[in-house]
Amino acid sequence: MKKKVAVIGAGFSGLSAAAYLAKAGYDVHVFEKHIQPGGRARQFSTPEGFRFDMGPSWYWMPDIIESFFSDFGHSAADFFELVSLNPQFEMIFNSGKISVPEPYEDLKQLFERIEVGAGRKLDKFMQAAKFKYEVGMRDFVNKPCHSWLEFASPKIARSAFKLDLLSSFRAYVAKYFKDERLRTLMEFPVIFLGASPKDIPALYSLMNYGGYALGTYYPKGGFFQLVQAMQQVAEKQGANFHFGHSVEALNIENKAVSSITVNGENREFDLIVASADYHHIESLLPQGLRNYDDAYWKSRTFAPSSLIYYLGMKSTISNLIHHTLFFEHNLDDHIDCIYGEKKWPQNPLFYACCPSKTDSQLAPSDGENLFLLMPLATGIADDEETREEYLIHMLKRLEKHTGTKNLYEQISYKRSYCVSDFMNDYNAYGGNAYGLANTLKQTAVWKPKVRNKKVHNLFYTGQLTVPGPGVPPSIISGKIVAKEAIELYHKSSAHEEVI
């Protein structure tokens, strides 16, 4: 009889784990509290004709995503069309804007125009970043991180110095570029990792290669196309999905989960893979069976939460492209409000995504789909009045950039999403949006473990464990956990070769 597996949560890591486990011959059941898959990457439509992706919007590291599909005999192109964005994005400063071109040679010329010699230095930076990407994303991040001995291979040992694990990303960038705008441009990708560039290891210059060198893409129909494609892959392997099903309890017998309570009903399983919030899953266990206590979670550095607005506009917005970053104010001041004082920022940085510039399916022909995101501290109060105040602030800066007037009056649909929504919808610890920050002390074996040390058939996957936050790392996380489960429960070579 097939081993029965329950996957809790249908985010990217859960979809990935479900696909690999089903391929290995398990009877896989995915339980998702929402009525659709995707977790933070869900999508919704409005009566006004708008369709909004709720979360991820940057399709970076396409090779990592492609490798998931190739493991199942597919290509991303079998499911959706990828559009290469050119320009990739714009970054707005008080002194003007930088428009990042898609061809790398054009990017070099842009750097050279801003700072003499910067084009040549960009080559050196990207050569090093490519090395880190190839080692990091193919060898480093695919480890379950039970022990540092996993990294004791000759290849990783030879590469250790070049990986710059002990260098600050900010100091590393400063060695190459003097112009503040170029430094900000190069520091921007690591903000996705949830900490100040001065606290992120220089290893993560691999993000610059994964974004700027490999390009920024958009899946036609929205990021939810990737979610649906991964669900289809998992279902083709035999995985079963149960939407609108909340896991309310983990029932323990003899130091194993014997059953889970779903919508008030007990269902027996041999193996549990938790893709939901790590802390929340642990709260379903007796304290003595948890990997980590409350003091541990309080001591962690979490990536930011966010204030998000989904706006349907009555008219098109000129002089706005798909991705725009508003960096007119000091980055460190905003970061201090997130990690230091934990308060709403006075002069915030924010991000505007207008996917209807690329995809006409997402808004009426005379309208615009606008997504605004401002990083915030976790755990802060987020009443509607405060949210609205920052919406007006962001729209005024959009008006200044685009030359468009009265944007607020052009809103035909409006929905906000903030700290308390992340808590309510995803049981996210502190309302975090991106998991744990990838600081050095929260990297690799110092991240929460993928296996429960006291409940032998309980595994964890997702952005709160290895390899960390982001869509490609979450997909990799699902694969890591599936492999761990297969090696634990099926030692035969036939099962070991499926991944």
Side-chain angles (χ1 to χ4, degrees), residues 246-251 259-267 284:
S246 295
V247 175
E248 298 151 347
L250 304 179
N251 306 307
S259 67
I260 61 175
T261 304
V262 185
N263 289 2
E265 177 188 356
N266 287 349
R267 302 183 62 159
L284 302 180

Side-chain angles (χ1 to χ4, degrees), residues 91-97 184 324-331 347-351 393-394 396-401:
M91 185 170 277
I92 311 302
F93 300 96
N94 280 325
S95 57
K97 69 179 181 182
T184 301
T324 309
L325 300 157
F326 287 81
F327 275 62
E328 306 102 310
H329 301 297
N330 186 275
L331 171 62
N347 295 304
L349 311 179
F350 73 96
Y351 158 60
H393 176 91
M394 290 187 284
K396 285 181 178 177
R397 284 163 64 182
L398 263 172
E399 289 175 352
K400 181 179 178 181
H401 167 60

